[in-house]
Amino acid sequence: MTDRSRRSRVLTVAIPLLVFVVTTFGFLARPLLGQRTYTAVDLLERTAPYRDAIERPPNVVSIIQGDLVEQYGPAALMSRDTLEDGEWQTWDPHIAAGTPAGIPPLIANVAPPQWTYFVVPGWYAVGLAAAISILVCQWFMFLFLRRLGAGVFAAIIGAIAYTYTGTNLAFVSRIWAPFVLPAMLWAVQRLLERPRFANSLVLGAFVAWGWYEGFPSGWVYCCAATGGFAVGMLATKWWRARRDARTSEDDDDAPVIDDEPANRWVVVRAAWVGFAFLWGVALSALTLIPLVHEVSARDILAMRTFDDSSHLNGIQVFSILTSRVPGPPVRGPWWTNLNPFEGTTYLGATVVAIVAVGLVLALVRRLDTSDDGAIAWVYFSLLALVVTILSFVGTPLLTIAYKVPGIANNPIWRMRFLIGLGASVLVALTLDSVWRHGVAVVVRRRPVVRWWSLALGLAFGLIFARFVPRLVDLARGMGAVGLLRSDLQRNAAIAAAVVLVIFAAARWPRLVVVSALVTGSAVYLQLVMPAYSLTPAAPISDFFTEQKGHRALEQLTDGRYRFAASGPNFYWNTSELFGLYDLRGAALHAPEFRPLMHEVSDLSFTRDPFKIQLTRDEWNLDSPVLDHLGVRYFALGTDELPYGDPDRVATEPDSWVDVGADQPVRLDTELGRIDGVQLPLRDSGGCVTGTVHVQLERDGVTTTTSRPLHDVNGTLLSFAVKSPGEAPGPVDITVTSNNDDCQLQVGVTDTEEAAGAFLHIADEAPVRLASTEQAWIYERPSASPIITSYGQWKVFDTQADALAWLRTRPDDQSDVVPVVGDVPASAPNGEPATLRGRSIENESVTVRSDGSTASLVSSGQVIGDGWSVTVDGHDASIVLVDGALMAVHVAAGEHVIVFTYAPSTVKLGKAVTLAAILVAIVGLGFTFARGRRRKDSASDRDDATAAPSVSSATH
């Protein structure tokens, strides 16, 4: 290799790497510099306890990336912690009533980018993992496009166009499988060229990597796209070989590909590709087998059903052209039916313009590509068209698609990243053709590419034309016409200028570098700028920091009780990080658990099938189901109305008076116990930073409460507060703030009494105020501990029967629980056993019982496949309290009870994954040894051939 060719090869690697590093850093500069964290934890600022802890108005950049806070962030941190402790966690008792933790693939830090959590702090690992994924995506997309014949500059721009497409920028940090897709395509193309064992392992490794990135449907879409590309390549080349053989002058010619019989060529490569996918699936079995079992045999996804109408609003197809459909991505207003995360497919006007140029060039026979590039042109554009139809139009094709395993019960429109993939391939091949060959007529005739390009352009034109009237009508009705017009005009002008620059380089080849720089910059900026904050760079201080409210709940629950909360207060799944037990949680909820929550509220899963999102008044806090679930505490945000009825109608203030530490006001009341106070408050300086404190004093007893100062707005403000004594009488109220620049005023009546009211929770209500530390936290005294014992029970055949009886349970049987299972009847005088040494671990529940009569001991965990129980070391039968919560019948006396979670599917998954690793090691060893033998044999033959010549030369 000459120095010049060596330098050329170095540049073809160094230039794209430099570009991709710069673009990645430009997109994630602040997270990579350690100034912010790349996740939407700023959402926490709006809810308890963080809204009280920050002492300022919340500053939420993007309000739609809740899953990052609710599930993805806690899952990564929890997984890191358990793996560092040497444990592969398979059950999580901290959310819902327990849920399989080793089943959803996003839980474990298996994918390479997630390894960053083990070497850097979690708040930094989020951004670093995203940067690695983005960098890997760009690099392998570049390599793949190069294999299709694209030049360096064209491949760089194509890689940027795919990586930063709007769908991917919405998915980043949530659905990362699309960022591994280019590596899968590169690996399959490489395997087709050189069918070798090692190359098949590379493809299989990327298949497994895509699975472990999480989001199973995204992985299915990626595997389908990769497998379809392999099939398309094999079928096309086989068909071409057959055609060439038929048109040959020699009738004896057989179909040949690369000097090899065509049939054998195809079968060998198809076999290697099939092996690669099977090996990749086997490598994924660690979590894939348990997940498949859970969602099929356990009927987890039964609540999600889709048909040919389950697609995006047709007008959202225009999100391909402009980020203003469905609305400005970060804050809105979103004037279509879904927010940008679910709706945007933004490709940018420049990308669309280049694709249009490519279609025209192909139609007039001025698009020159490699043979593989021509196949890719048809395949990926067809893929983009099919996904566009499925996502936006529907048709009977969508009904068929929803019957495909892995796609069924998943929103089909989440495969929109494949539209960006198809566009990016066409962009790279178009730019390569123009910059390498100009616009001369191509000698090679490719009628399929030519006429398919015409059909593709017409199909997309018809789709857009179909929805234009609907778009215009809706935009007018929502006042968004100007928004759309300005964005389209501005970006269309940029795209037109870029197209002129592209063709200028075709006319003057010396301008290719400048043209590539202009084109790449336009593509990058048009994609990145609209969605730059779609996933926000949030303050590091927001990253799941423990607050006083968490510590208050920890002290109250004492590791023995669960809590729940209204809305997203004490965000679900964050309980995993703080060691709390939350009834809510984003999870694959067991089918036995859902009926329990429907007893609490019919609205439990209406907002999201995987989360319990109930407002203050939607919770039935009187439900006995909550008692059996161990939910003893319930939290409201300090911006919510506390529980309790006012002792009077709050009047309009007659005047406002200054208040402070030495300026109390008085409010008389006949209430003994006080659970809250309502006061009209305002400030004289518009102060929003700090906390407003309210102190009640009666008969020398004082109690205090607080909420953020920015809540003060001149209207009636409500505070939950502990009662300062139990005797009725006047109460002195002192209002202060920790902001010395703010002068607070309270509204008073003409008698100078506070124009407010006291709140009182009725004695028969299910809750009592327990804490006002950064939240209004209430206690439910009727709740039992998570691990508890029952002395009286009633047996039923089904869960439905058990819950129906519980719904109308007589008051004199409040200590009787319904049970499903083979269990003896309870004794008439049955008493709960005394429990000692309660212990809830990730895969087990252990307790010691001591009862004077037979009893049921409940683990407080919902039933799941893989649970077993022993009593004093002997196997016992599990029965179900409320038809869902695992319990065991124990005789009178002392016993040691151990519930253990060890599902066979997890064991099988581990075994299959280990077997796949072993196959790889043995296969690589065999391949290496065979290679050495061949090399030695070749060397021996060379020595044998050389020996006579040496001998004859001697003579």
Side-chain angles (χ1 to χ4, degrees):
M1 181 183 296
T2 65
D3 291 342
R4 183 174 181 179
S5 62
R6 186 178 294 108
R7 286 195 300 271
S8 177
R9 292 193 63 178
V10 170
L11 287 176
T12 59
V13 173
I15 290 176
L17 272 178
L18 178 61
V19 171
F20 298 150
V21 168
V22 169
T23 55
T24 302
F25 181 79
F27 185 61
L28 295 170
R30 298 182 72 185
L32 292 177
L33 290 174
Q35 298 175 353
R36 310 280 275 186
T37 182
Y38 190 61
T39 188
V41 288
D42 55 350
L43 281 169
L44 293 172
E45 294 184 1
R46 300 193 305 170
T47 64
Y50 294 93
R51 72 179 305 270
D52 291 73
I54 60 176
E55 295 191 344
R56 59 169 172 78
N59 179 27
V60 179
V61 175
S62 177
I63 65 175
I64 61 174
Q65 294 283 32
D67 283 355
L68 299 183
V69 181
E70 301 158 7
Q71 190 172 16
Y72 287 72
L77 295 175
M78 180 194 70
S79 175
R80 178 202 63 186
D81 294 343
T82 56
L83 290 178
E84 285 181 343
D85 292 339
E87 177 188 10
W88 179 268
Q89 185 176 355
T90 55
W91 184 265
D92 184 4
H94 294 98
I95 58 175
T99 183
I103 286 176
L106 58 91
I107 296 298
N109 297 85
V110 180
Q114 307 304 311
W115 299 346
T116 56
Y117 282 89
F118 297 108
V119 294
V120 297
W123 64 264
Y124 189 79
V126 176
L128 185 58
I132 292 172
S133 296
I134 289 173
L135 193 60
V136 166
C137 182
Q138 291 181 97
W139 178 245
F140 279 103
M141 189 67 183
F142 167 79
L143 293 180
F144 175 62
L145 293 172
R146 290 283 287 158
R147 295 193 73 86
L148 296 181
V152 173
F153 295 134
I156 290 173
I157 295 171
I160 291 173
Y162 171 67
T163 303
Y164 297 98
T165 186
T167 305
N168 284 351
L169 293 188
F171 284 171
V172 70
S173 296
R174 291 184 79 243
I175 307 176
W176 281 359
F179 293 88
V180 186
L181 176 57
M184 295 169 64
L185 292 169
W186 168 81
V188 79
Q189 173 78 347
R190 185 167 172 262
L191 181 59
L192 292 178
E193 183 178 311
R194 298 189 62 193
R196 303 287 188 272
F197 181 75
N199 291 347
S200 68
L201 293 185
V202 172
L203 174 57
F206 283 129
V207 169
W209 180 347
W211 169 259
Y212 286 120
E213 284 290 7
F215 223 90
S217 62
W219 175 74
V220 171
Y221 303 150
C222 291
C223 289
T226 304
F229 176 66
V231 170
M233 291 287 289
L234 292 173
T236 302
K237 291 191 174 186
W238 179 83
W239 177 81
R240 285 178 177 173
R242 300 274 298 179
R243 180 198 60 190
D244 293 343
R246 287 197 302 269
T247 57
S248 173
E249 295 180 359
D250 189 347
D251 294 338
D252 294 332
D253 279 355
V256 173
I257 304 175
D258 297 335
D259 299 326
E260 186 177 349
N263 289 345
R264 183 179 185 279
W265 187 93
V266 169
V267 169
V268 168
R269 281 154 179 79
W272 278 116
V273 170
F275 169 77
F277 273 98
L278 287 175
W279 185 79
V281 170
L283 197 60
S284 308
L286 183 64
T287 55
L288 190 152
I289 289 178
L291 177 70
V292 170
H293 170 79
E294 196 73 12
V295 300
S296 56
R298 296 279 289 149
D299 206 21
I300 293 295
L301 298 179
M303 82 299 300
R304 299 180 69 177
T305 56
F306 299 97
D307 54 30
D308 59 1
S309 64
S310 302
H311 57 80
L312 293 175
N313 188 326
I315 66 168
Q316 303 230 67
V317 72
F318 293 97
S319 67
I320 291 175
L321 303 175
T322 170
S323 63
R324 302 303 181 180
V325 175
V330 177
R331 290 189 176 274
W334 305 308
W335 47 276
T336 66
N337 66 333
L338 282 175
N339 64 44
F341 172 75
E342 296 289 2
T344 188
T345 320
Y346 186 50
L347 303 182
T350 298
V351 168
V352 173
I354 296 173
V355 171
V357 166
L359 295 178
V360 173
L361 292 177
L363 179 61
V364 297
R365 290 184 52 212
R366 281 168 169 77
L367 182 77
D368 197 0
T369 66
S370 66
D371 289 341
D372 285 357
I375 298 172
W377 180 275
V378 175
Y379 173 77
F380 287 105
S381 59
L382 173 62
L383 182 65
L385 177 61
V386 170
V387 173
T388 300
I389 293 172
L390 293 178
S391 299
F392 302 104
V393 183
T395 74
L397 182 63
L398 182 57
T399 303
I400 297 173
Y402 274 133
K403 296 182 183 301
V404 176
I407 296 178
N409 291 326
N410 283 289
I412 197 78
W413 53 87
R414 287 179 179 163
M415 64 167 59
R416 301 186 317 279
F417 63 91
L418 296 175
I419 301 174
L421 175 70
S424 301
V425 171
L426 268 59
V427 163
L429 296 178
T430 298
L431 293 176
D432 177 73
S433 178
V434 173
W435 288 338
R436 194 195 298 262
H437 307 292
V439 291
V441 175
V442 178
V443 176
R444 288 179 292 182
R445 296 178 178 272
R446 290 200 174 107
V448 174
V449 172
R450 183 183 182 188
W451 296 114
W452 167 247
S453 298
L454 174 61
L456 180 69
L458 290 174
F460 271 100
L462 290 173
I463 291 173
F464 283 114
R466 174 182 176 181
F467 296 111
V468 163
R470 193 184 303 175
L471 173 72
V472 173
D473 290 343
L474 183 58
R476 284 175 177 168
M478 301 299 295
V481 172
L483 195 73
L484 285 176
R485 183 186 297 114
S486 62
D487 186 72
L488 286 172
Q489 289 175 345
R490 179 176 61 254
N491 287 293
I494 295 172
V498 170
V499 170
L500 291 177
V501 172
I502 292 171
F503 280 108
R507 175 65 177 82
W508 297 287
R510 292 184 179 180
L511 296 178
V512 166
V513 175
V514 175
S515 180
L517 181 61
V518 171
T519 304
S521 298
V523 169
Y524 177 73
L525 293 175
Q526 280 192 334
L527 289 173
V528 166
M529 291 180 67
Y532 182 75
S533 297
L534 193 60
T535 297
I540 298 169
S541 58
D542 287 344
F543 191 77
F544 305 115
T545 49
E546 187 178 41
Q547 305 298 332
K548 293 179 181 178
H550 294 119
R551 290 191 286 272
L553 264 180
E554 181 181 15
Q555 183 177 7
L556 290 170
T557 56
D558 191 30
R560 302 173 62 218
Y561 297 99
R562 290 192 174 97
F563 78 96
S566 62
N569 292 304
F570 291 90
Y571 251 104
W572 39 83
N573 293 68
T574 59
S575 56
E576 298 166 312
L577 306 181
F578 303 118
L580 302 171
Y581 296 93
D582 189 351
L583 180 66
R584 305 163 302 164
L588 297 175
H589 295 301
E592 296 87 354
F593 176 70
R594 291 178 175 275
L596 297 190
M597 288 310 304
H598 286 142
E599 292 297 310
V600 176
S601 174
D602 291 337
L603 303 175
S604 291
F605 300 102
T606 56
R607 295 179 178 91
D608 191 310
F610 302 120
K611 302 170 193 170
I612 300 165
Q613 303 182 56
L614 298 174
T615 63
R616 172 190 184 275
D617 297 321
E618 290 171 349
W619 285 89
N620 175 17
L621 296 180
D622 206 18
S623 171
V625 166
L626 294 179
D627 298 338
H628 303 159
L629 287 165
V631 181
R632 193 175 184 93
Y633 296 94
F634 186 82
L636 299 176
T638 55
D639 57 339
E640 296 187 90
L641 182 66
Y643 287 118
D645 299 316
D647 65 339
R648 72 195 70 192
V649 177
T651 60
E652 288 291 328
D654 293 313
S655 61
W656 295 84
V657 298
D658 293 339
V659 291
D662 56 351
Q663 297 170 298
V665 294
R666 174 163 289 201
L667 188 59
D668 198 4
T669 181
E670 296 181 359
L671 292 177
R673 189 183 72 249
I674 295 172
D675 297 294
V677 62
Q678 295 178 319
L679 294 173
L681 291 177
R682 72 182 187 183
D683 65 82
S684 59
C687 303
V688 294
T689 301
T691 302
V692 55
H693 299 271
V694 174
Q695 175 182 291
L696 305 186
E697 181 180 356
R698 182 166 61 182
D699 296 333
V701 179
T702 62
T703 57
T704 59
T705 187
S706 64
R707 61 185 295 176
L709 186 58
H710 60 79
D711 289 341
V712 176
N713 57 10
T715 60
L716 198 66
L717 209 60
S718 299
F719 298 81
V721 63
K722 289 293 192 67
S723 182
E726 297 292 331
V731 179
D732 289 329
I733 305 171
T734 303
V735 181
T736 59
S737 79
N738 59 359
N739 188 333
D740 295 335
D741 296 327
C742 292
Q743 178 59 56
L744 294 173
Q745 294 181 320
V746 63
V748 297
T749 65
D750 55 6
T751 61
E752 296 188 352
E753 187 179 49
F758 288 116
L759 302 177
H760 170 72
I761 299 175
D763 293 340
E764 63 273 13
V767 296
R768 294 287 179 267
L769 183 62
S771 171
T772 59
E773 188 65 80
Q774 297 180 335
W776 315 140
I777 302 175
Y778 296 87
E779 182 180 11
R780 302 180 62 259
S782 59
S784 303
I786 298 173
I787 305 174
T788 194
S789 176
Y790 301 103
Q792 299 283 320
W793 59 88
K794 190 174 179 65
V795 182
F796 294 89
D797 293 331
T798 66
Q799 184 182 35
D801 293 339
L803 294 178
W805 176 83
L806 184 63
R807 215 171 295 135
T808 57
R809 184 177 60 180
D811 292 340
D812 60 354
Q813 297 185 33
S814 59
D815 57 347
V816 179
V817 294
V819 179
V820 175
D822 186 10
V823 58
S826 58
N829 61 342
E831 294 290 335
T834 301
L835 303 183
R836 303 184 184 90
R838 296 181 178 95
S839 174
I840 303 175
E841 304 296 335
N842 287 337
E843 277 81 33
S844 65
V845 175
T846 304
V847 63
R848 295 177 180 271
S849 71
D850 185 2
S852 58
T853 64
S855 62
L856 288 182
V857 176
S858 171
S859 67
Q861 308 295 307
V862 71
I863 184 65
D865 286 355
W867 279 100
S868 61
V869 64
T870 61
V871 178
D872 300 327
H874 302 289
D875 291 340
S877 298
I878 290 176
V879 296
L880 302 178
V881 173
D882 296 343
L885 299 173
M886 294 180 295
V888 64
H889 177 263
V890 294
E894 296 185 10
H895 303 282
V896 176
I897 300 138
V898 180
F899 293 86
T900 304
Y901 183 65
S904 58
T905 54
V906 173
K907 297 177 184 177
L908 178 61
K910 290 179 180 179
V912 173
T913 294
L914 290 174
I917 296 173
L918 182 61
V919 166
I921 294 173
V922 172
L924 287 174
F926 176 78
T927 301
F928 177 77
R930 187 176 63 175
R932 287 293 301 269
R933 287 197 300 269
R934 288 180 175 177
K935 185 177 181 180
D936 292 343
S937 298
S939 178
D940 292 343
R941 287 195 300 270
D942 291 343
D943 292 343
T945 303
S949 61
V950 172
S951 176
S952 60
T954 303
H955 288 292

